[in-house]
Each structure stands twice: as structure tokens, then as C-alpha cells.
Amino acid sequence: MNRDTPLVLGIESSCDETGIGIVRGSTLLSNTISSSMEQHARYGGVVPEVAARAHLEALGPALTAAVDEAQIELSDIDAVAVTSGPGLAGALMVGVGAAKALALALDKPIYAVNHLVGHVGADILDDRGEPFEYPAVALLVSGGHTSLLLVRDLTSDVELLGETIDDAAGEAFDKVARILGLPYPGGPQIDKAAAEGDPTAIRFPRGLSLPKDMAKHRYDFSFSGLKTAVARWVEQKQDAGEAVPVADVAASFREAVADVLLTKAIAACRDHDVPRLLLGGGVVANARIRELATERAAAADVALRIPPLSLCTDNGAMIAALAAQRIMAGFEPSTLEFGADSTLPVNDIQVP
């Protein structure tokens, strides 16, 4: 196997996006994503069984498209990489099964890697010319995860500082959008409505930010209370027969989420004396989160990295990139005995 610039094919199927990515070393060759979002829209959220079936249908076409875009033959690859967890169990099983079959058919080694650490690895594929340095703090915000990581070394030393104890930020966006009568997925809809609103109109709570909470949950997140506060505020308006100012509610809610995310992320940078912050996950597409991250990072003299939006959402390229870095660092492949692990700890960068 070429360990200097390995050609790696990555498969990602942890939620509702089927991702196939191909990288050569640290160079992105293809990044194909097939989303089943429209199939979940009627339910107002991701249905695990629907997601798993969609992965089965999308994997073949996505694999063909990725290989064509990369202009390679499947036999050219040095290794197969796949998300082993965390994520939806049924969805993960589809990707893991496909990756094992591909590795066996091609007689190639397989690397079963961590989805969350993969989001950090996506930055490697950015072509801005200046590689990101470590240690770094990573803030990962998606529909299923809201996590703060301390990344001392991408391939060998990642520590979980904190995570959501209830709803993830993306879930909160979806639920608040439903409260406001906006379509699924909620993130883009809230962002669009908030553009016309006043973020200071309503002071919604910042979960786990009070002094009594910070002692135990300094780096943890909670958005369930915020969602409930929005619901009660809207109900009071409706009960009083008043019109709900959707734009102001959306802007104020978005501001509360962005505020608590960046307050805790910058605190983590300061507490650990790490002047670098990386953002990842689909919710990073939110305009206000990106804007506030830029403001807070500059004020704290923290270097900020945000990968291109195509690499922020779940994708196979980030999985391939992480595996390629492990290969170049001399790590051995996984055995075929691993399975899908919906609660895979973040410090397990690769499953043996």
C-alpha cells in the first residue's frame, strides 16, 4: 500500500446523507453526496428506517459518480474507509456492510473511523494553502451532534470536552421551525426568516450558561429549554390573539443558539491555551453562527477555520481524509470484525 500519498475511498452513512469521497493524500478528488432529506420532510425529521433504505438505493449510483469524477478505477484505490459511528445504527450498518464488501472484492485494507473526528479531518482538504495546526478546539454542530473537542493530534489524540445533554442544535432548529410553521429542514428556514428580524427583540435563555451550571457543564450544551421557551412565548402571543412576529422570534432564537455555541467554544480555547478554533457540521452553514464566530474569534485572537460548506455537512471525503492521515502516520487497518457503533466515543478515532 502506498503510505506516502494513499488513494482512499471513503463511505459515510451515519444519518440522512449518503457520501462517497475519494482523496489522494490530502488532495480531494471527488465528493459525491446523495441526500434523502426530501423523504424525511413529510415527517418533520429524520426517520431511521427511511434513511437506511435511502442509503441502500443511493450507494451504487453515488459510488459510480465518485469514481467517474475522480477519474480512477476502483482497482486503483489503496484502501477503503467507512464511518463506524456514531450515528443511526441502521444507517451505519448499510455503509459498513458496503465498505466491507468493497474491501473484500478489491482485496484492499479497510479503515473504520469516527464520524465526529472525520468532521475535523475535512479541514485537511481545504485548498487555502495554509494547513491547520494542532492543538485546536473543534466545535461540531449538526442535526444529531453538538460537541466541543480538544484535538491535540488528528490521528491519535482527540478528547471530548463537552456535548449536548439533550437536543442537538440542529434538532432545536427543526423543532422551532415547526413551532413557527416553517418547513423542514429548519436550519435554512430559520436563517432565511431571521434575516428580516431583530435578534434583540426577545431575550431567550442561554442553556447551561449560568454560574451554577458552568461548574459542572462548562463545555456542555442544552437546547431543550430554549426550544420550550420559544414554544411558550409563541403560545402566549397566540392565546392573546396577537400575531406572532416570526422574523423576530427566528432572529432571537438564532442569536441565542449562536451566542451559547461561541461563548463555550472561545472559553475552551482560552481555558486550554489553544489559539485555534475549527467549525464543522451542517449547522455551520447558518449565517449568524459563521458571522459571530468570526467576530468572537477575532476579539479573542483565535485563528478560525471553517471548511467549505460542501465539506461541513456529512460527506465521504472527510472519512477518506481521516483514514488517509492515519495511513500516512503508519496506523494499521481495521479488521473485518468491527461493526456499526451508534455511540462510538470520540477518542476512538479508528476501530481496530
Side-chain angles (χ1 to χ4, degrees):
M1 179 169 56
N2 176 9
R3 286 190 174 272
D4 294 325
T5 53
L7 182 63
V8 182
L9 184 147
I11 299 176
E12 154 61 28
S13 68
S14 64
C15 192
D16 62 337
E17 288 162 322
T18 307
I20 305 291
I22 300 174
V23 304
R24 189 186 302 276
S26 301
T27 302
L28 176 64
L29 300 184
S30 67
N31 182 28
T32 299
I33 301 174
S34 176
S35 175
S36 59
M37 186 179 299
E38 291 185 1
Q39 298 180 45
H40 302 285
R42 72 184 71 177
Y43 307 107
V46 177
V47 179
E49 292 82 359
V50 173
R53 184 177 295 276
H55 287 309
L56 280 171
E57 296 172 350
L59 264 168
L63 181 62
T64 299
V67 169
D68 289 345
E69 181 183 359
Q71 297 182 342
I72 65 164
E73 299 292 334
L74 275 176
S75 57
D76 295 335
I77 66 172
D78 292 303
V80 176
V82 65
T83 298
S84 179
L88 301 175
L92 288 168
M93 289 178 189
V94 176
V96 167
K100 288 183 177 181
L102 193 60
L104 280 170
L106 297 173
D107 192 24
K108 303 292 183 179
I110 189 168
Y111 284 75
V113 299
N114 192 294
H115 171 82
L116 294 179
V117 185
H119 275 298
V120 182
D123 185 78
I124 292 171
L125 302 175
D126 197 337
D127 59 0
R128 282 175 288 189
E130 296 183 4
F132 198 52
E133 298 179 3
Y134 299 97
V137 169
L139 172 64
L140 308 181
V141 193
S142 67
H145 306 283
T146 303
S147 308
L148 265 178
L149 313 181
L150 177 59
V151 186
R152 298 184 182 91
D153 185 282
L154 177 65
T155 63
S156 62
D157 191 352
V158 179
E159 177 186 351
L160 177 68
L161 297 179
E163 59 187 343
T164 182
I165 63 173
D166 43 54
D167 289 348
E171 291 177 283
F173 272 97
D174 290 338
K175 292 176 179 178
V176 169
R178 192 179 310 138
I179 291 168
L180 296 177
L182 300 175
Y184 175 87
Q189 299 297 329
I190 292 286
D191 216 19
K192 182 178 179 180
E196 304 298 325
D198 178 4
T200 64
I202 310 158
R203 175 68 184 184
F204 286 127
R206 272 65 169 163
L208 299 183
S209 293
L210 296 176
K212 65 181 181 68
D213 298 316
M214 292 294 280
K216 183 178 180 181
H217 295 288
R218 183 168 182 80
Y219 305 124
D220 291 325
F221 303 93
S222 172
F223 297 105
S224 181
L226 171 60
K227 170 207 65 182
T228 301
V230 174
R232 288 177 177 171
W233 196 94
V234 170
E235 288 171 1
Q236 289 173 357
K237 283 290 183 181
Q238 293 173 334
D239 291 344
E242 301 177 20
V244 176
V246 173
D248 286 346
V249 175
S252 299
F253 163 75
R254 183 180 70 167
E255 190 68 16
V257 174
D259 185 18
V260 72
L261 287 174
L262 273 305
T263 295
K264 288 177 178 271
I266 295 298
C269 290
R270 183 175 60 250
D271 294 347
H272 292 85
D273 195 25
V274 174
R276 305 174 191 89
L277 175 63
L278 171 69
L279 303 190
V283 179
V284 174
N286 184 279
R288 181 54 181 158
I289 291 176
R290 297 167 73 90
E291 180 182 39
L292 191 61
T294 302
E295 294 174 4
R296 296 279 180 89
D301 197 23
V302 168
L304 176 67
R305 294 281 286 223
I306 307 176
L309 293 183
S310 61
L311 294 175
C312 285
T313 56
D314 294 347
N315 63 86
M318 69 184 192
I319 301 305
L322 176 56
Q325 294 299 309
R326 294 272 298 182
I327 292 170
M328 290 187 286
F331 289 94
E332 294 302 312
S334 305
T335 70
L336 289 174
E337 297 177 2
F338 75 91
D341 186 346
S342 61
T343 59
L344 184 67
V346 72
N347 56 299
D348 289 344
I349 300 172
Q350 179 187 334
V351 180

